[in-house]
Amino acid sequence: MTLVLHDWELSADAYRARLLLGLLGLDYAKVPVDVIPGGETESPAFRKISPSGTLPVLVDGDVVLSEIAAILVHLAETRDVACTWLPCDRARRAACLQWLAFALGPLRASDAARDTAMFEHGGPWREPEVMAHRALRVLEGRLIRQALQGEPFLVEGGPTLADVAAFPAVALAVDWGETLTAFPKARLWTRTVRALPGFVTTPGVPEFL
Amino acid sequence: MSLPLEPAVRDDWHVLCRLADLAAHVPAGFRLLAHDVWATRDAKGAVSVRSADGRALPVTLAYGHVFTSLGAPARPLFAIDEVAEPDRRLATCGAVRVRASGLRLVENFLDMAHFPFVHTDILGVEERPEVPRYDTEIRWDVDEVWATNCRFWQPLAAASSRGGQMSEYRYRVASPFNVMLYKTAPPDPARFDVIGLSIRAAEPDLSFAYAFLLLLDDATPATTLIHFQQTIFLQDRIILENQRPRLLPLSPKAETPTRADMSSVAYRRWLKAKGVRFGVFEAAP
Ligand SMILES: [Fe+2]
């Protein structure tokens, strides 16, 4: 079954999906969507596959998903037989979901700050840079505590969906002028994620951080 | 309180927005050269632009964009003859916001030396970083800067590329904030694709870049073409946002030129001769 990803290179959420597809070693077809300037996500045809106009959209046979959380969980549940990315162990799974929700919640302020910095009309967030810094401090604190346990990732025992979901928000922060000098553990963590087999990059991810 | 603008900038044509971005009868506000301007499109598609003090400003619609001027342009908007060719496609890429002088954006556009390192494996490869000698000239009769006989090995020169090619380039700076390049068209190496970059200089250190394509490629979906250009420009944007000063220094000793920088040297000399100051770095005396 061919996976299809309705994609836009510049979208942080689309990059989250491409990153997991790469880490899982999956082949998929890309359908480019003209988000800016074309506004294709507002079109009736696109709204049929994405009711609220969110991107990316993953089509897996009869399954059509337009929320990034659902896309990541679905790919892990159906394609990750080793239970790496969404752990089966209850404690690790709980921690993974906790940090996945954080990455797709408060940390998304970094995506919003990026949209505001790159385009004339940013999103609906107020003061996204302030919110993003707050979230980056939370992330840094978690990574410091993990490092004290000898754990390089957000969840003990290896990389999970939480790292995949958080990576674009952190690595693309340079697009809104945040070079992470005050977040040394986050910088180190981005290098660890970059070294994972199957890692794929996107324009904006610094070569050396 | 707005700064007095020098004639070379005030009386020039500047891009305001894409034509498609204006909804009928809904005035849209834009920042241009540290001034507020308002654009309105009527039901028939005619566009009017007004300054904050109510003056009607000149308007030219071309290449999918609205161009205007805060002064009285002495000449029409730059002409790109290829636009009339029946097999050309126009694609507009939208606006990208950059915290840098618009002059820096034009200079980056003229620079080939960064291809292998910034657009790695797309517009250049790290194994072939050298920029072969090319020619630059300031054409005073038409008041433009040209760089010709530019050649560069490119693994993925365009969205339609099937493999690497020795791309031939000609750069043309048609006015301080409007630049374009003519580049070997992968589907027909005897002819040139045209890629235009028009900058709306909102403030001296804040710019909106509008790219447009006049391509011979008729097979690649427009969205793919646009995404290709957006990817390239995002890579440039990071470099541009990190350049200091954000404004462009024109003094010859500010940054030492190498041979690859010859087009940049000509561009800066020309800006200086024209008396351009908006977006120019002026060191404290
Ligand atoms: Fe570039």
Side-chain angles (χ1 to χ4, degrees):
Chain A
M1 180 90 61
T2 319
L3 291 166
V4 177
L5 188 73
H6 295 258
D7 184 41
W8 182 34
E9 198 81 26
L10 274 54
S11 151
D13 272 341
Y15 178 43
R16 291 182 171 95
R18 295 196 302 271
L19 180 54
L20 183 61
L21 286 159
L23 292 165
L24 289 169
L26 296 171
D27 283 332
Y28 62 101
K30 278 188 204 176
V31 179
V33 181
D34 186 1
V35 181
I36 290 178
E40 197 181 334
T41 47
E42 305 298 316
S43 70
F46 189 79
R47 289 298 174 118
K48 273 192 187 144
I49 56 168
S50 175
S52 30
T54 49
L55 179 121
V57 175
L58 180 77
V59 182
D60 181 11
D62 294 339
V63 177
V64 180
L65 300 171
S66 56
E67 290 293 340
I68 186 61
I71 291 170
L72 298 178
V73 169
H74 174 77
L75 286 173
E77 285 189 332
T78 57
R79 304 300 201 284
D80 172 26
V81 282
C83 252
T84 299
W85 300 98
L86 186 60
C88 298
D89 171 81
R90 278 185 187 271
R92 291 191 67 230
R93 190 184 187 92
C96 170
L97 291 173
Q98 164 75 15
W99 290 100
L100 176 63
F102 166 80
L104 299 179
L107 193 57
R108 255 239 189 68
S110 179
D111 300 358
R114 180 171 174 261
D115 288 346
T116 306
M118 292 201 313
F119 306 110
E120 183 142 37
H121 308 288
W125 286 67
R126 290 183 59 192
E127 301 193 315
E129 298 188 6
V130 176
M131 308 288 281
H133 278 130
R134 218 174 279 174
L136 284 170
R137 280 196 292 276
V138 173
L139 181 89
E140 181 76 5
R142 171 67 177 182
L143 290 169
I144 289 170
R145 285 190 300 280
Q146 289 293 95
L148 291 172
Q149 313 292 321
E151 297 286 349
F153 296 103
L154 285 166
V155 177
E156 61 277 13
T160 64
L161 290 186
D163 301 288
V164 175
F167 183 83
V170 180
L172 295 173
V174 66
D175 279 335
W176 54 275
E178 175 49 65
T179 52
L180 304 179
T181 37
F183 305 101
K185 279 286 177 286
R187 287 170 77 111
L188 183 66
W189 165 83
T190 62
R191 286 202 287 274
T192 314
V193 173
R194 287 177 57 98
L196 291 170
F199 175 86
V200 289
T201 189
T202 204
V205 174
E207 286 282 323
F208 305 99
L209 197 68
Chain B
M1 179 70 212
S2 42
L3 300 165
L5 287 170
E6 63 279 17
V9 170
R10 183 194 63 207
D11 295 336
D12 193 13
W13 290 102
H14 298 268
V15 70
L16 199 58
C17 61
R18 294 190 323 141
L19 186 54
D21 293 334
L22 293 179
H25 306 300
V26 185
F30 298 93
R31 198 74 180 148
L32 172 64
L33 301 171
H35 287 66
D36 289 321
V37 299
W38 294 87
T40 316
R41 182 180 188 174
D42 71 16
K44 288 182 198 145
V47 172
S48 57
V49 178
R50 289 188 175 275
S51 62
D53 53 17
R55 256 183 329 131
L57 302 178
V59 175
T60 298
L61 305 182
Y63 321 120
H65 290 81
V66 178
F67 292 84
T68 190
S69 174
L70 294 183
R75 51 181 187 167
L77 180 74
F78 58 86
I80 301 176
D81 298 337
E82 283 79 0
V83 75
E85 295 173 358
D87 56 350
R88 289 274 165 186
R89 289 172 70 192
L90 170 71
T92 56
C93 300
V96 178
R97 183 178 180 276
V98 187
R99 267 269 165 219
S101 163
L103 306 174
R104 287 250 186 227
L105 271 63
V106 172
E107 191 183 60
N108 170 273
F109 189 80
L110 296 174
D111 171 44
M112 285 181 288
H114 75 282
F115 288 171
F117 310 107
V118 176
H119 311 297
T120 312
D121 299 334
I122 304 174
L123 299 185
V125 289
E126 283 172 333
E127 297 73 48
R128 298 178 75 163
E130 57 295 322
V131 180
R133 178 173 290 282
Y134 61 94
D135 304 311
T136 54
E137 57 177 316
I138 300 174
R139 298 187 183 170
W140 291 110
D141 55 331
V142 288
D143 201 13
E144 295 185 350
V145 179
W146 282 73
T148 51
N149 296 319
C150 311
R151 280 163 298 127
F152 211 83
W153 173 262
Q154 302 196 312
L156 189 65
S160 57
S161 296
R162 295 285 168 268
Q165 68 172 23
M166 185 55 95
S167 293
E168 249 188 83
Y169 276 68
R170 279 176 219 162
Y171 289 98
R172 171 187 174 200
V173 187
S175 84
F177 295 96
N178 292 291
V179 61
M180 60 222 66
L181 70 81
Y182 300 75
K183 173 178 175 176
T184 313
D188 183 354
R191 295 169 70 194
F192 289 90
D193 282 339
V194 185
I195 300 173
L197 184 71
S198 288
I199 313 295
R200 173 157 56 83
E203 309 290 346
D205 62 351
L206 177 66
S207 307
F208 291 87
Y210 294 81
F212 60 89
L213 314 169
L214 286 165
L215 305 185
L216 292 167
D217 175 5
D218 60 355
T220 311
T223 303
T224 305
L225 300 173
I226 292 167
H227 285 191
F228 183 84
Q229 285 307 317
Q230 287 178 338
T231 298
I232 300 287
F233 195 74
L234 258 278
Q235 294 171 337
D236 287 318
R237 184 180 172 280
I238 297 165
I239 306 298
L240 288 163
E241 292 228 329
N242 287 298
Q243 282 176 338
R244 294 295 181 277
R246 290 189 195 277
L247 305 184
L248 184 71
L250 295 188
S251 94
K253 57 180 186 225
E255 282 155 36
T256 327
T258 65
R259 200 182 67 211
D261 287 335
M262 291 315 289
S263 55
S264 150
V265 170
Y267 177 57
R268 292 183 186 204
R269 264 181 50 210
W270 177 70
L271 292 175
K272 196 168 189 155
K274 289 168 70 67
V276 171
R277 296 184 64 186
F278 197 88
V280 169
F281 178 77
E282 286 169 55

